[in-house]
Amino acid sequence: MIEYPSVPRDRGKLGTIYIKKGLDEIEKKLLLEEEFCHLYAHHETQLSVDQDAIAKCENQAKRMAARLALP
């Protein structure tokens, strides 16, 4: 089963972020930060790109989210 934590809209840096029930507050915060970065920085769904591009996008979103978490 493929999960879609965030779904970008066709225009702009907007979209919808889905958060799974049952996560603790820290997991929710980390997921929200990373998915926000995906929506902000990437404008295509992972279904339309190759594995190398997906890995690059994931790495970039994780780095951006880490920077958001810093005081």
Side-chain angles (χ1 to χ4, degrees):
M1 180 171 124
I2 298 174
E3 294 185 30
Y4 299 98
S6 61
V7 180
R9 291 200 184 151
D10 292 337
R11 301 169 127 191
K13 298 177 184 298
L14 301 173
T16 304
I17 297 173
Y18 297 95
I19 298 182
K20 188 188 304 186
K21 291 182 180 181
L23 298 176
D24 66 36
E25 293 303 313
I26 294 173
E27 289 174 315
K28 285 180 188 177
K29 183 176 188 276
L30 294 173
L31 177 65
L32 184 60
E33 288 170 347
E34 184 178 339
E35 293 307 320
F36 169 79
C37 292
H38 276 297
L39 291 175
Y40 185 80
H42 311 127
H43 302 289
E44 66 258 352
T45 65
Q46 291 186 349
L47 298 175
S48 63
V49 295
D50 63 34
Q51 291 298 316
D52 291 333
I54 290 172
K56 181 179 177 183
C57 289
E58 288 294 325
N59 191 20
Q60 183 181 33
K62 287 181 190 302
R63 286 193 324 263
M64 288 174 65
R67 289 185 182 127
L68 280 177
L70 294 175

Short mmCIF file of all heavy atoms in Angstrom, two decimals:
data_model
loop_
_atom_site.label_atom_id
_atom_site.label_comp_id
_atom_site.label_asym_id
_atom_site.label_seq_id
_atom_site.Cartn_x
_atom_site.Cartn_y
_atom_site.Cartn_z
N MET A 1 0.84 -1.19 0.00
CA MET A 1 0.00 0.00 0.00
C MET A 1 0.88 1.25 0.00
O MET A 1 1.82 1.35 0.75
CB MET A 1 -0.88 -0.01 1.25
CG MET A 1 -1.79 1.17 1.34
SD MET A 1 -2.96 0.94 2.69
CE MET A 1 -2.64 2.40 3.60
N ILE A 2 0.57 2.19 -0.86
CA ILE A 2 1.31 3.45 -0.94
C ILE A 2 0.57 4.49 -0.09
O ILE A 2 -0.64 4.64 -0.19
CB ILE A 2 1.41 3.94 -2.40
CG1 ILE A 2 2.18 2.92 -3.22
CG2 ILE A 2 2.08 5.30 -2.46
CD1 ILE A 2 2.21 3.24 -4.70
N GLU A 3 1.31 5.20 0.73
CA GLU A 3 0.72 6.26 1.54
C GLU A 3 1.11 7.61 0.95
O GLU A 3 2.20 7.78 0.42
CB GLU A 3 1.22 6.17 2.98
CG GLU A 3 0.73 4.92 3.68
CD GLU A 3 1.13 4.90 5.14
OE1 GLU A 3 1.24 5.98 5.73
OE2 GLU A 3 1.33 3.80 5.65
N TYR A 4 0.22 8.57 1.04
CA TYR A 4 0.47 9.92 0.54
C TYR A 4 0.33 10.90 1.69
O TYR A 4 -0.75 11.45 1.90
CB TYR A 4 -0.52 10.26 -0.58
CG TYR A 4 -0.41 9.35 -1.76
CD1 TYR A 4 -1.28 8.29 -1.91
CD2 TYR A 4 0.58 9.54 -2.70
CE1 TYR A 4 -1.18 7.44 -2.99
CE2 TYR A 4 0.68 8.69 -3.78
CZ TYR A 4 -0.21 7.64 -3.93
OH TYR A 4 -0.10 6.80 -5.00
N PRO A 5 1.41 11.15 2.45
CA PRO A 5 1.31 12.08 3.57
C PRO A 5 1.01 13.51 3.14
O PRO A 5 0.44 14.27 3.88
CB PRO A 5 2.66 11.99 4.26
CG PRO A 5 3.27 10.72 3.78
CD PRO A 5 2.68 10.48 2.43
N SER A 6 1.43 13.89 1.91
CA SER A 6 1.11 15.23 1.43
C SER A 6 0.79 15.16 -0.06
O SER A 6 1.35 14.36 -0.79
CB SER A 6 2.26 16.21 1.67
OG SER A 6 3.42 15.80 1.00
N VAL A 7 -0.14 16.00 -0.46
CA VAL A 7 -0.58 16.04 -1.85
C VAL A 7 -0.47 17.48 -2.33
O VAL A 7 -1.20 18.35 -1.84
CB VAL A 7 -2.03 15.53 -2.00
CG1 VAL A 7 -2.47 15.58 -3.44
CG2 VAL A 7 -2.16 14.13 -1.43
N PRO A 8 0.44 17.76 -3.28
CA PRO A 8 0.59 19.14 -3.77
C PRO A 8 -0.58 19.54 -4.66
O PRO A 8 -1.20 18.71 -5.30
CB PRO A 8 1.88 19.09 -4.57
CG PRO A 8 2.05 17.67 -4.97
CD PRO A 8 1.39 16.85 -3.91
N ARG A 9 -0.87 20.82 -4.67
CA ARG A 9 -1.87 21.35 -5.60
C ARG A 9 -1.17 21.67 -6.90
O ARG A 9 0.06 21.69 -6.99
CB ARG A 9 -2.51 22.61 -5.03
CG ARG A 9 -3.39 22.30 -3.85
CD ARG A 9 -4.36 23.41 -3.60
NE ARG A 9 -5.13 23.10 -2.40
CZ ARG A 9 -5.64 24.00 -1.61
NH1 ARG A 9 -5.47 25.28 -1.88
NH2 ARG A 9 -6.33 23.65 -0.56
N ASP A 10 -1.95 21.95 -7.92
CA ASP A 10 -1.39 22.24 -9.25
C ASP A 10 -0.59 23.53 -9.29
O ASP A 10 0.32 23.67 -10.08
CB ASP A 10 -2.50 22.29 -10.30
CG ASP A 10 -3.13 20.94 -10.52
OD1 ASP A 10 -2.48 19.92 -10.23
OD2 ASP A 10 -4.29 20.90 -10.98
N ARG A 11 -0.94 24.48 -8.45
CA ARG A 11 -0.29 25.79 -8.49
C ARG A 11 0.21 26.19 -7.12
O ARG A 11 -0.37 25.86 -6.11
CB ARG A 11 -1.29 26.86 -8.96
CG ARG A 11 -1.85 26.59 -10.30
CD ARG A 11 -2.99 27.52 -10.52
NE ARG A 11 -2.79 28.22 -11.77
CZ ARG A 11 -3.49 29.24 -12.15
NH1 ARG A 11 -4.41 29.74 -11.37
NH2 ARG A 11 -3.27 29.81 -13.31
N GLY A 12 1.29 26.92 -7.14
CA GLY A 12 1.80 27.50 -5.90
C GLY A 12 2.40 26.47 -4.96
O GLY A 12 2.60 25.32 -5.30
N LYS A 13 2.67 26.92 -3.77
CA LYS A 13 3.29 26.08 -2.75
C LYS A 13 2.24 25.64 -1.74
O LYS A 13 2.41 25.77 -0.55
CB LYS A 13 4.43 26.84 -2.08
CG LYS A 13 5.53 27.20 -3.06
CD LYS A 13 6.60 28.00 -2.39
CE LYS A 13 7.66 28.47 -3.34
NZ LYS A 13 8.40 27.46 -4.01
N LEU A 14 1.11 25.17 -2.25
CA LEU A 14 0.00 24.76 -1.41
C LEU A 14 -0.24 23.27 -1.55
O LEU A 14 0.20 22.64 -2.50
CB LEU A 14 -1.28 25.51 -1.81
CG LEU A 14 -1.22 27.02 -1.74
CD1 LEU A 14 -2.49 27.61 -2.31
CD2 LEU A 14 -1.04 27.49 -0.31
N GLY A 15 -0.96 22.71 -0.62
CA GLY A 15 -1.30 21.31 -0.68
C GLY A 15 -1.97 20.87 0.60
O GLY A 15 -2.29 21.69 1.45
N THR A 16 -2.16 19.59 0.73
CA THR A 16 -2.79 19.01 1.90
C THR A 16 -1.83 18.03 2.55
O THR A 16 -1.25 17.19 1.86
CB THR A 16 -4.09 18.28 1.51
OG1 THR A 16 -4.94 19.20 0.83
CG2 THR A 16 -4.80 17.73 2.73
N ILE A 17 -1.67 18.12 3.86
CA ILE A 17 -0.82 17.21 4.61
C ILE A 17 -1.72 16.32 5.46
O ILE A 17 -2.55 16.83 6.21
CB ILE A 17 0.18 17.96 5.51
CG1 ILE A 17 1.12 18.80 4.64
CG2 ILE A 17 0.97 16.98 6.38
CD1 ILE A 17 2.04 19.71 5.42
N TYR A 18 -1.54 15.02 5.33
CA TYR A 18 -2.31 14.06 6.11
C TYR A 18 -1.43 13.52 7.23
O TYR A 18 -0.31 13.10 6.98
CB TYR A 18 -2.78 12.90 5.22
CG TYR A 18 -3.71 13.36 4.14
CD1 TYR A 18 -3.24 13.66 2.87
CD2 TYR A 18 -5.06 13.51 4.39
CE1 TYR A 18 -4.09 14.09 1.87
CE2 TYR A 18 -5.94 13.94 3.40
CZ TYR A 18 -5.44 14.23 2.14
OH TYR A 18 -6.29 14.66 1.17
N ILE A 19 -1.95 13.52 8.44
CA ILE A 19 -1.21 13.00 9.58
C ILE A 19 -1.96 11.79 10.14
O ILE A 19 -3.14 11.88 10.48
CB ILE A 19 -1.02 14.07 10.67
CG1 ILE A 19 -0.20 15.21 10.09
CG2 ILE A 19 -0.36 13.47 11.90
CD1 ILE A 19 0.12 16.32 11.03
N LYS A 20 -1.26 10.67 10.20
CA LYS A 20 -1.83 9.41 10.65
C LYS A 20 -2.19 9.50 12.14
O LYS A 20 -1.45 10.06 12.94
CB LYS A 20 -0.81 8.30 10.44
CG LYS A 20 -1.33 6.91 10.70
CD LYS A 20 -0.25 5.85 10.67
CE LYS A 20 0.53 5.82 9.39
NZ LYS A 20 1.47 4.69 9.34
N LYS A 21 -3.33 8.95 12.48
CA LYS A 21 -3.74 8.89 13.89
C LYS A 21 -2.81 7.96 14.65
O LYS A 21 -2.23 7.04 14.10
CB LYS A 21 -5.16 8.39 14.01
CG LYS A 21 -6.19 9.35 13.48
CD LYS A 21 -7.57 8.79 13.66
CE LYS A 21 -8.59 9.79 13.12
NZ LYS A 21 -9.96 9.32 13.29
N GLY A 22 -2.65 8.23 15.94
CA GLY A 22 -1.87 7.36 16.79
C GLY A 22 -0.41 7.76 16.96
O GLY A 22 0.32 7.12 17.69
N LEU A 23 0.03 8.82 16.26
CA LEU A 23 1.41 9.27 16.42
C LEU A 23 1.50 10.15 17.67
O LEU A 23 0.58 10.89 17.99
CB LEU A 23 1.84 10.10 15.21
CG LEU A 23 1.87 9.39 13.86
CD1 LEU A 23 2.23 10.38 12.76
CD2 LEU A 23 2.83 8.23 13.86
N ASP A 24 2.65 10.08 18.34
CA ASP A 24 2.82 10.97 19.48
C ASP A 24 3.15 12.38 18.98
O ASP A 24 3.36 12.59 17.79
CB ASP A 24 3.87 10.44 20.47
CG ASP A 24 5.28 10.40 19.91
OD1 ASP A 24 5.66 11.31 19.14
OD2 ASP A 24 6.01 9.46 20.24
N GLU A 25 3.18 13.33 19.87
CA GLU A 25 3.35 14.74 19.48
C GLU A 25 4.66 15.01 18.75
O GLU A 25 4.71 15.81 17.81
CB GLU A 25 3.21 15.65 20.70
CG GLU A 25 1.82 15.67 21.29
CD GLU A 25 0.76 16.09 20.29
OE1 GLU A 25 0.95 17.08 19.57
OE2 GLU A 25 -0.27 15.40 20.22
N ILE A 26 5.73 14.36 19.17
CA ILE A 26 7.03 14.57 18.52
C ILE A 26 7.01 14.02 17.10
O ILE A 26 7.45 14.68 16.16
CB ILE A 26 8.17 13.95 19.35
CG1 ILE A 26 8.30 14.71 20.67
CG2 ILE A 26 9.49 13.97 18.57
CD1 ILE A 26 9.28 14.10 21.64
N GLU A 27 6.44 12.83 16.91
CA GLU A 27 6.35 12.25 15.57
C GLU A 27 5.48 13.11 14.66
O GLU A 27 5.80 13.32 13.49
CB GLU A 27 5.77 10.83 15.63
CG GLU A 27 6.71 9.81 16.24
CD GLU A 27 6.07 8.46 16.41
OE1 GLU A 27 4.91 8.40 16.89
OE2 GLU A 27 6.72 7.46 16.05
N LYS A 28 4.37 13.63 15.20
CA LYS A 28 3.50 14.51 14.42
C LYS A 28 4.26 15.76 13.97
O LYS A 28 4.15 16.18 12.82
CB LYS A 28 2.29 14.94 15.23
CG LYS A 28 1.24 13.88 15.39
CD LYS A 28 0.10 14.43 16.22
CE LYS A 28 -0.89 13.37 16.57
NZ LYS A 28 -1.97 13.87 17.42
N LYS A 29 5.01 16.35 14.89
CA LYS A 29 5.76 17.57 14.58
C LYS A 29 6.81 17.30 13.50
O LYS A 29 6.93 18.07 12.54
CB LYS A 29 6.43 18.11 15.84
CG LYS A 29 7.17 19.41 15.64
CD LYS A 29 7.73 19.91 16.97
CE LYS A 29 8.30 21.29 16.84
NZ LYS A 29 9.65 21.35 16.39
N LEU A 30 7.55 16.20 13.64
CA LEU A 30 8.57 15.87 12.64
C LEU A 30 7.96 15.60 11.27
O LEU A 30 8.47 16.06 10.25
CB LEU A 30 9.39 14.66 13.11
CG LEU A 30 10.25 14.87 14.35
CD1 LEU A 30 10.86 13.55 14.79
CD2 LEU A 30 11.32 15.91 14.09
N LEU A 31 6.86 14.86 11.25
CA LEU A 31 6.18 14.56 9.99
C LEU A 31 5.65 15.84 9.34
O LEU A 31 5.84 16.06 8.14
CB LEU A 31 5.03 13.59 10.23
CG LEU A 31 4.19 13.24 9.00
CD1 LEU A 31 5.03 12.48 7.98
CD2 LEU A 31 2.98 12.44 9.39
N LEU A 32 5.03 16.70 10.14
CA LEU A 32 4.50 17.96 9.62
C LEU A 32 5.60 18.84 9.04
O LEU A 32 5.45 19.40 7.95
CB LEU A 32 3.74 18.69 10.72
CG LEU A 32 3.05 19.99 10.32
CD1 LEU A 32 2.02 19.73 9.25
CD2 LEU A 32 2.41 20.63 11.54
N GLU A 33 6.73 18.94 9.74
CA GLU A 33 7.85 19.75 9.24
C GLU A 33 8.36 19.21 7.91
O GLU A 33 8.59 19.96 6.96
CB GLU A 33 8.99 19.76 10.26
CG GLU A 33 8.70 20.57 11.48
CD GLU A 33 9.72 20.39 12.58
OE1 GLU A 33 10.54 19.44 12.51
OE2 GLU A 33 9.70 21.18 13.55
N GLU A 34 8.57 17.89 7.83
CA GLU A 34 9.12 17.31 6.59
C GLU A 34 8.13 17.44 5.43
O GLU A 34 8.51 17.82 4.32
CB GLU A 34 9.49 15.84 6.80
CG GLU A 34 10.14 15.26 5.56
CD GLU A 34 10.56 13.82 5.73
OE1 GLU A 34 10.73 13.35 6.88
OE2 GLU A 34 10.73 13.16 4.70
N GLU A 35 6.87 17.17 5.68
CA GLU A 35 5.88 17.27 4.60
C GLU A 35 5.67 18.71 4.16
O GLU A 35 5.47 18.98 2.98
CB GLU A 35 4.56 16.62 5.02
CG GLU A 35 4.66 15.12 5.21
CD GLU A 35 5.24 14.40 4.01
OE1 GLU A 35 4.91 14.76 2.85
OE2 GLU A 35 6.03 13.46 4.21
N PHE A 36 5.73 19.66 5.09
CA PHE A 36 5.68 21.07 4.72
C PHE A 36 6.82 21.40 3.76
O PHE A 36 6.62 22.09 2.76
CB PHE A 36 5.76 21.95 5.97
CG PHE A 36 5.97 23.41 5.64
CD1 PHE A 36 4.91 24.18 5.23
CD2 PHE A 36 7.24 23.98 5.72
CE1 PHE A 36 5.11 25.52 4.90
CE2 PHE A 36 7.44 25.30 5.40
CZ PHE A 36 6.37 26.09 4.99
N CYS A 37 8.01 20.90 4.06
CA CYS A 37 9.17 21.16 3.20
C CYS A 37 8.98 20.53 1.82
O CYS A 37 9.37 21.12 0.82
CB CYS A 37 10.45 20.65 3.86
SG CYS A 37 10.88 21.62 5.33
N HIS A 38 8.37 19.35 1.77
CA HIS A 38 8.07 18.75 0.47
C HIS A 38 7.15 19.65 -0.35
O HIS A 38 7.39 19.92 -1.52
CB HIS A 38 7.38 17.39 0.63
CG HIS A 38 8.33 16.25 0.85
ND1 HIS A 38 9.25 15.85 -0.09
CD2 HIS A 38 8.47 15.41 1.89
CE1 HIS A 38 9.92 14.82 0.38
NE2 HIS A 38 9.48 14.53 1.58
N LEU A 39 6.08 20.14 0.29
CA LEU A 39 5.14 20.99 -0.43
C LEU A 39 5.78 22.30 -0.84
O LEU A 39 5.51 22.82 -1.93
CB LEU A 39 3.90 21.27 0.43
CG LEU A 39 2.99 20.07 0.67
CD1 LEU A 39 1.88 20.47 1.64
CD2 LEU A 39 2.40 19.57 -0.63
N TYR A 40 6.63 22.86 0.00
CA TYR A 40 7.26 24.14 -0.28
C TYR A 40 8.29 24.01 -1.40
O TYR A 40 8.37 24.87 -2.28
CB TYR A 40 7.92 24.69 0.98
CG TYR A 40 8.49 26.07 0.79
CD1 TYR A 40 7.66 27.18 0.84
CD2 TYR A 40 9.84 26.26 0.54
CE1 TYR A 40 8.16 28.45 0.64
CE2 TYR A 40 10.36 27.53 0.35
CZ TYR A 40 9.51 28.62 0.39
OH TYR A 40 10.02 29.87 0.19
N ALA A 41 9.07 22.94 -1.39
CA ALA A 41 10.21 22.84 -2.31
C ALA A 41 9.94 22.02 -3.57
O ALA A 41 10.61 22.22 -4.58
CB ALA A 41 11.41 22.25 -1.58
N HIS A 42 8.98 21.12 -3.54
CA HIS A 42 8.79 20.20 -4.66
C HIS A 42 7.39 20.34 -5.23
O HIS A 42 6.43 20.42 -4.48
CB HIS A 42 9.04 18.76 -4.21
CG HIS A 42 10.31 18.61 -3.46
ND1 HIS A 42 10.38 18.03 -2.22
CD2 HIS A 42 11.59 19.00 -3.75
CE1 HIS A 42 11.63 18.06 -1.79
NE2 HIS A 42 12.38 18.66 -2.70
N HIS A 43 7.31 20.32 -6.55
CA HIS A 43 6.03 20.58 -7.20
C HIS A 43 5.50 19.40 -7.99
O HIS A 43 4.62 19.56 -8.81
CB HIS A 43 6.15 21.80 -8.11
CG HIS A 43 6.59 23.02 -7.38
ND1 HIS A 43 5.79 23.68 -6.48
CD2 HIS A 43 7.78 23.67 -7.35
CE1 HIS A 43 6.44 24.69 -5.96
NE2 HIS A 43 7.66 24.71 -6.47
N GLU A 44 6.05 18.21 -7.77
CA GLU A 44 5.52 17.04 -8.46
C GLU A 44 5.30 15.92 -7.46
O GLU A 44 5.92 15.91 -6.40
CB GLU A 44 6.46 16.57 -9.56
CG GLU A 44 7.80 16.03 -9.06
CD GLU A 44 8.93 17.02 -9.22
OE1 GLU A 44 8.73 18.06 -9.85
OE2 GLU A 44 9.99 16.76 -8.69
N THR A 45 4.42 15.00 -7.80
CA THR A 45 4.22 13.85 -6.93
C THR A 45 5.33 12.85 -7.21
O THR A 45 5.97 12.87 -8.26
CB THR A 45 2.86 13.17 -7.19
OG1 THR A 45 2.86 12.64 -8.50
CG2 THR A 45 1.72 14.16 -7.02
N GLN A 46 5.56 11.96 -6.27
CA GLN A 46 6.63 10.98 -6.43
C GLN A 46 6.30 9.94 -7.50
O GLN A 46 7.18 9.22 -7.94
CB GLN A 46 6.92 10.29 -5.10
CG GLN A 46 7.57 11.23 -4.11
CD GLN A 46 7.99 10.52 -2.83
OE1 GLN A 46 7.64 9.38 -2.60
NE2 GLN A 46 8.75 11.22 -2.01
N LEU A 47 5.07 9.88 -7.93
CA LEU A 47 4.70 8.93 -8.98
C LEU A 47 5.23 9.35 -10.34
O LEU A 47 5.31 8.53 -11.25
CB LEU A 47 3.17 8.79 -9.04
CG LEU A 47 2.51 8.22 -7.78
CD1 LEU A 47 1.00 8.26 -7.92
CD2 LEU A 47 3.00 6.82 -7.51
N SER A 48 5.60 10.63 -10.50
CA SER A 48 6.00 11.12 -11.82
C SER A 48 7.51 11.26 -11.99
O SER A 48 7.95 11.78 -13.00
CB SER A 48 5.33 12.48 -12.07
OG SER A 48 5.79 13.43 -11.12
N VAL A 49 8.32 10.80 -11.02
CA VAL A 49 9.78 10.94 -11.12
C VAL A 49 10.48 9.62 -10.82
O VAL A 49 9.88 8.71 -10.25
CB VAL A 49 10.30 12.05 -10.17
CG1 VAL A 49 9.78 13.42 -10.58
CG2 VAL A 49 9.93 11.77 -8.74
N ASP A 50 11.76 9.53 -11.20
CA ASP A 50 12.51 8.29 -10.98
C ASP A 50 13.05 8.21 -9.54
O ASP A 50 12.96 9.15 -8.77
CB ASP A 50 13.64 8.16 -12.00
CG ASP A 50 14.69 9.26 -11.88
OD1 ASP A 50 14.96 9.74 -10.76
OD2 ASP A 50 15.26 9.63 -12.92
N GLN A 51 13.62 7.05 -9.19
CA GLN A 51 14.07 6.79 -7.81
C GLN A 51 15.18 7.74 -7.36
O GLN A 51 15.23 8.13 -6.20
CB GLN A 51 14.54 5.34 -7.69
CG GLN A 51 13.42 4.32 -7.79
CD GLN A 51 12.41 4.49 -6.67
OE1 GLN A 51 12.76 4.66 -5.52
NE2 GLN A 51 11.14 4.42 -7.01
N ASP A 52 16.08 8.12 -8.27
CA ASP A 52 17.15 9.06 -7.91
C ASP A 52 16.58 10.42 -7.53
O ASP A 52 17.01 11.05 -6.56
CB ASP A 52 18.15 9.21 -9.05
CG ASP A 52 18.98 7.96 -9.26
OD1 ASP A 52 19.17 7.18 -8.29
OD2 ASP A 52 19.45 7.75 -10.40
N ALA A 53 15.60 10.88 -8.28
CA ALA A 53 14.97 12.16 -8.00
C ALA A 53 14.20 12.10 -6.68
O ALA A 53 14.21 13.06 -5.90
CB ALA A 53 14.05 12.57 -9.14
N ILE A 54 13.55 10.96 -6.41
CA ILE A 54 12.82 10.79 -5.15
C ILE A 54 13.79 10.87 -3.98
O ILE A 54 13.53 11.55 -2.98
CB ILE A 54 12.04 9.47 -5.14
CG1 ILE A 54 10.89 9.54 -6.13
CG2 ILE A 54 11.53 9.14 -3.73
CD1 ILE A 54 10.17 8.22 -6.33
N ALA A 55 14.92 10.17 -4.08
CA ALA A 55 15.92 10.18 -3.01
C ALA A 55 16.44 11.59 -2.77
O ALA A 55 16.61 12.01 -1.62
CB ALA A 55 17.06 9.22 -3.34
N LYS A 56 16.67 12.33 -3.85
CA LYS A 56 17.16 13.71 -3.72
C LYS A 56 16.11 14.58 -3.02
O LYS A 56 16.45 15.37 -2.13
CB LYS A 56 17.49 14.27 -5.10
CG LYS A 56 18.02 15.67 -5.08
CD LYS A 56 18.34 16.16 -6.47
CE LYS A 56 18.82 17.60 -6.43
NZ LYS A 56 19.08 18.13 -7.77
N CYS A 57 14.85 14.44 -3.41
CA CYS A 57 13.77 15.23 -2.80
C CYS A 57 13.61 14.88 -1.32
O CYS A 57 13.42 15.77 -0.49
CB CYS A 57 12.46 14.98 -3.53
SG CYS A 57 12.39 15.70 -5.18
N GLU A 58 13.68 13.60 -0.99
CA GLU A 58 13.56 13.17 0.40
C GLU A 58 14.69 13.76 1.26
O GLU A 58 14.46 14.27 2.35
CB GLU A 58 13.58 11.65 0.52
CG GLU A 58 12.32 10.99 0.03
CD GLU A 58 11.11 11.32 0.88
OE1 GLU A 58 11.24 11.47 2.11
OE2 GLU A 58 10.02 11.44 0.31
N ASN A 59 15.90 13.68 0.74
CA ASN A 59 17.07 14.21 1.45
C ASN A 59 16.93 15.72 1.66
O ASN A 59 17.18 16.23 2.75
CB ASN A 59 18.34 13.87 0.68
CG ASN A 59 19.60 14.15 1.47
OD1 ASN A 59 19.56 14.25 2.69
ND2 ASN A 59 20.71 14.28 0.78
N GLN A 60 16.52 16.42 0.62
CA GLN A 60 16.36 17.86 0.71
C GLN A 60 15.28 18.23 1.74
O GLN A 60 15.48 19.13 2.56
CB GLN A 60 16.00 18.44 -0.65
CG GLN A 60 15.90 19.95 -0.65
CD GLN A 60 15.51 20.49 -2.01
OE1 GLN A 60 14.77 19.86 -2.75
NE2 GLN A 60 16.02 21.66 -2.33
N ALA A 61 14.16 17.54 1.72
CA ALA A 61 13.08 17.84 2.67
C ALA A 61 13.52 17.55 4.11
O ALA A 61 13.20 18.31 5.02
CB ALA A 61 11.83 17.03 2.32
N LYS A 62 14.25 16.47 4.32
CA LYS A 62 14.74 16.15 5.67
C LYS A 62 15.71 17.21 6.17
O LYS A 62 15.66 17.60 7.34
CB LYS A 62 15.38 14.77 5.68
CG LYS A 62 14.39 13.64 5.58
CD LYS A 62 15.07 12.29 5.62
CE LYS A 62 14.17 11.15 5.30
NZ LYS A 62 13.00 10.98 6.12
N ARG A 63 16.60 17.70 5.29
CA ARG A 63 17.54 18.76 5.69
C ARG A 63 16.80 20.06 6.01
O ARG A 63 17.11 20.73 7.00
CB ARG A 63 18.58 18.99 4.59
CG ARG A 63 19.63 17.91 4.50
CD ARG A 63 20.82 18.31 3.63
NE ARG A 63 20.48 19.13 2.49
CZ ARG A 63 20.29 18.68 1.24
NH1 ARG A 63 20.41 17.41 0.97
NH2 ARG A 63 20.01 19.51 0.27
N MET A 64 15.84 20.42 5.19
CA MET A 64 15.06 21.63 5.42
C MET A 64 14.28 21.52 6.74
O MET A 64 14.24 22.47 7.52
CB MET A 64 14.09 21.88 4.28
CG MET A 64 14.74 22.34 2.99
SD MET A 64 13.56 22.45 1.62
CE MET A 64 12.49 23.75 2.17
N ALA A 65 13.70 20.35 7.00
CA ALA A 65 12.92 20.15 8.21
C ALA A 65 13.82 20.24 9.44
O ALA A 65 13.42 20.79 10.47
CB ALA A 65 12.22 18.79 8.17
N ALA A 66 15.03 19.71 9.33
CA ALA A 66 15.99 19.80 10.45
C ALA A 66 16.32 21.26 10.76
O ALA A 66 16.43 21.64 11.92
CB ALA A 66 17.25 19.01 10.12
N ARG A 67 16.43 22.06 9.72
CA ARG A 67 16.72 23.49 9.93
C ARG A 67 15.54 24.20 10.57
O ARG A 67 15.72 25.12 11.38
CB ARG A 67 17.11 24.15 8.62
CG ARG A 67 18.47 23.71 8.14
CD ARG A 67 18.92 24.45 6.91
NE ARG A 67 20.21 23.94 6.49
CZ ARG A 67 20.49 23.51 5.29
NH1 ARG A 67 19.55 23.52 4.35
NH2 ARG A 67 21.68 23.07 4.99
N LEU A 68 14.32 23.79 10.21
CA LEU A 68 13.13 24.39 10.83
C LEU A 68 13.09 24.08 12.33
O LEU A 68 12.61 24.89 13.12
CB LEU A 68 11.87 23.83 10.20
CG LEU A 68 11.42 24.40 8.87
CD1 LEU A 68 10.18 23.67 8.38
CD2 LEU A 68 11.13 25.88 8.98
N ALA A 69 13.56 22.90 12.70
CA ALA A 69 13.49 22.46 14.09
C ALA A 69 14.51 23.15 14.98
O ALA A 69 14.36 23.17 16.20
CB ALA A 69 13.69 20.95 14.16
N LEU A 70 15.52 23.74 14.39
CA LEU A 70 16.56 24.42 15.19
C LEU A 70 16.02 25.72 15.75
O LEU A 70 15.25 26.42 15.12
CB LEU A 70 17.80 24.71 14.33
CG LEU A 70 18.57 23.50 13.84
CD1 LEU A 70 19.68 23.95 12.92
CD2 LEU A 70 19.13 22.71 15.00
N PRO A 71 16.44 26.08 16.98
CA PRO A 71 15.97 27.34 17.58
C PRO A 71 16.57 28.55 16.90
O PRO A 71 17.52 28.54 16.22
CB PRO A 71 16.45 27.25 19.03
CG PRO A 71 17.40 26.13 19.12
CD PRO A 71 17.27 25.31 17.87
#
